[in-house]
Amino acid sequence: MTTVIECPTCNWQPDRESHWTCTCGYSWNTFETRAKCPKCNTQWETTSCPGCGKSSPHNDWYFDSSIPKEPDTPEIAELKKRKKKLEERLISLGIKNYRVSHLPYLDYSKEEFQRPYDVGCRLIILNSISYSVHNLDDRPKIIEWLKKEKLWEQVSKNEINFLNQSKPNEDVLLDLSWKIESSILLGWVLNLFDNLHDITQECSDEVMDAFESKIPELGAETKDFLRDLKFRPLDQIYEENLLNELATTYFRDLMFSGKSDETQIDRVVSFERHQTLNWIRKFQGINEWDYTDTST
């Protein structure tokens, strides 16, 4: 018999780290002693999973791999495939102990997504906002252009305030300067280019040049560009959304745990992606850009 140790809920497998702490204060790998504390000899009946946070009877963690499991339905098999891919990406980024314990979390079939046309409009608006941050005197021309292209109705209230303010404050300018990351992400969502730049760094000049070659120049007509837009496969969009949602959860947990960041992720880039992709999927039913929910 070959024994496999994994969480009964999410299939997380122990990684030899000391994730468990006894009431006596001793920390150890509980599977080295079958859940018995080496210091005080307390025998634990349940074990919590560092991956999903759920507790299960300790003995339920041990499986005989020679006993075949009941085959999955095609739907469950597909969700497990997505789960494996997402978790491998998390681990590669340094988020080692976050697992998907609820398979329906990976099912996007009931999500309501924005239309490609509206995503294209938002891309153009965000790109013009990003440009305006560094060229404040050109804002009247940007306003005139957005109105001429019939995009002004899709400019958010906060963006309108920025475009009309005589002297935007530095915090506003800093926040809006990152919207180029959101704009590039939308280009990827719309399948204008194949690969999204690494989440560990902000976009490079090379990435910017490639992006700008695929979109209308500021001041140019946008009708033809907006007419034929299509999404890349939704499973790719949704996976990217969940990846950055879990990264947001990881960084928020660090604030409370006091632990060190073990990733190389650029937090601002990841958060911009999380927020933007939540807007695309109308997370929590919210359609307005300014009010996009990033709760996890």
Side-chain angles (χ1 to χ4, degrees):
M1 176 177 116
T2 302
T3 301
V4 173
I5 304 174
E6 65 181 24
C7 173
T9 302
C10 73
N11 305 120
W12 180 88
Q13 294 186 350
D15 55 8
R16 299 182 181 180
E17 297 292 330
S18 299
H19 295 292
W20 298 271
T21 302
C22 183
T23 51
C24 72
Y26 185 77
S27 297
W28 85 111
N29 180 349
T30 191
F31 295 101
E32 292 179 349
T33 61
R34 202 94 183 188
K36 187 174 184 178
C37 175
K39 183 177 180 181
C40 70
N41 293 323
T42 297
Q43 180 66 57
W44 289 86
E45 299 298 326
T46 61
T47 296
S48 64
C49 175
C52 67
K54 303 293 178 61
S55 291
S56 307
H58 185 81
N59 289 335
D60 289 356
W61 282 70
Y62 300 88
F63 296 89
D64 181 357
S65 62
S66 65
I67 300 176
K69 297 180 180 180
E70 187 175 337
D72 294 322
T73 64
E75 292 78 11
I76 294 298
E78 174 60 26
L79 292 178
K80 284 188 173 181
K81 181 180 175 182
R82 294 178 195 170
K83 166 184 163 70
K84 184 175 185 294
K85 184 179 177 185
L86 175 59
E87 291 177 348
E88 285 176 347
R89 288 188 67 190
L90 288 168
I91 291 168
S92 72
L93 290 166
I95 303 178
K96 299 176 182 178
N97 295 317
Y98 282 61
R99 298 292 183 272
V100 177
S101 59
H102 186 56
L103 283 178
Y105 175 68
L106 297 155
D107 182 8
Y108 56 83
S109 62
K110 295 180 181 179
E111 298 286 338
E112 182 184 2
F113 292 86
Q114 302 281 356
R115 298 179 304 166
Y117 172 84
D118 293 319
V119 173
C121 292
R122 179 114 299 270
L123 180 158
I124 292 171
I125 291 166
L126 289 173
N127 189 50
S128 67
I129 292 292
S130 177
Y131 168 83
S132 298
V133 167
H134 304 288
N135 300 273
L136 293 175
D137 291 342
D138 288 345
R139 286 178 295 164
K141 293 180 181 178
I142 292 296
I143 292 172
E144 181 182 351
W145 174 57
L146 292 172
K147 288 181 177 179
K148 177 175 175 290
E149 293 301 308
K150 297 180 173 56
L151 296 172
W152 187 249
E153 290 184 359
Q154 297 206 45
V155 180
S156 77
K157 290 180 181 178
N158 289 344
E159 290 164 342
I160 290 173
N161 288 339
F162 158 70
L163 290 170
N164 284 305
Q165 279 179 340
S166 58
K167 292 183 179 180
N169 69 52
E170 290 300 320
D171 288 341
V172 169
L173 293 174
L174 178 61
D175 178 60
L176 293 179
S177 69
W178 283 100
K179 298 310 172 187
I180 189 59
E181 295 288 345
S182 298
S183 188
I184 289 173
L185 172 67
L186 294 181
W188 174 81
V189 166
L190 292 168
N191 215 19
L192 300 182
F193 41 86
D194 293 333
N195 298 314
L196 197 55
H197 64 278
D198 201 314
I199 197 176
T200 62
Q201 57 191 358
E202 58 187 276
C203 63
S204 63
D205 290 341
E206 183 180 1
V207 169
M208 275 292 301
D209 290 343
F211 167 68
E212 290 178 350
S213 71
K214 298 291 186 178
I215 65 172
E217 293 183 2
L218 295 174
E221 286 193 1
T222 61
K223 182 174 62 176
D224 290 344
F225 171 77
L226 292 170
R227 185 178 55 225
D228 300 322
L229 294 173
K230 294 179 181 179
F231 285 150
R232 70 188 312 103
L234 286 178
D235 63 319
Q236 296 179 20
I237 297 171
Y238 198 62
E239 178 189 307
E240 192 66 28
N241 186 201
L242 297 185
L243 177 80
N244 289 284
E245 180 178 280
L246 289 168
T248 296
T249 301
Y250 171 80
F251 290 124
R252 285 177 178 168
D253 287 349
L254 288 184
M255 293 172 60
F256 297 102
S257 68
K259 294 181 179 179
S260 300
D261 182 2
E262 296 182 353
T263 77
Q264 298 297 317
I265 295 174
D266 187 307
R267 297 190 191 195
V268 182
V269 172
S270 179
F271 185 78
E272 289 294 328
R273 292 183 183 183
H274 178 199
Q275 182 185 48
T276 304
L277 290 163
N278 273 13
W279 173 79
I280 289 176
R281 68 184 264 215
K282 299 184 181 181
F283 181 67
Q284 302 286 28
I286 296 173
N287 189 42
E288 294 184 51
W289 174 258
D290 287 343
Y291 302 106
T292 304
D293 190 348
T294 56
S295 58
T296 58

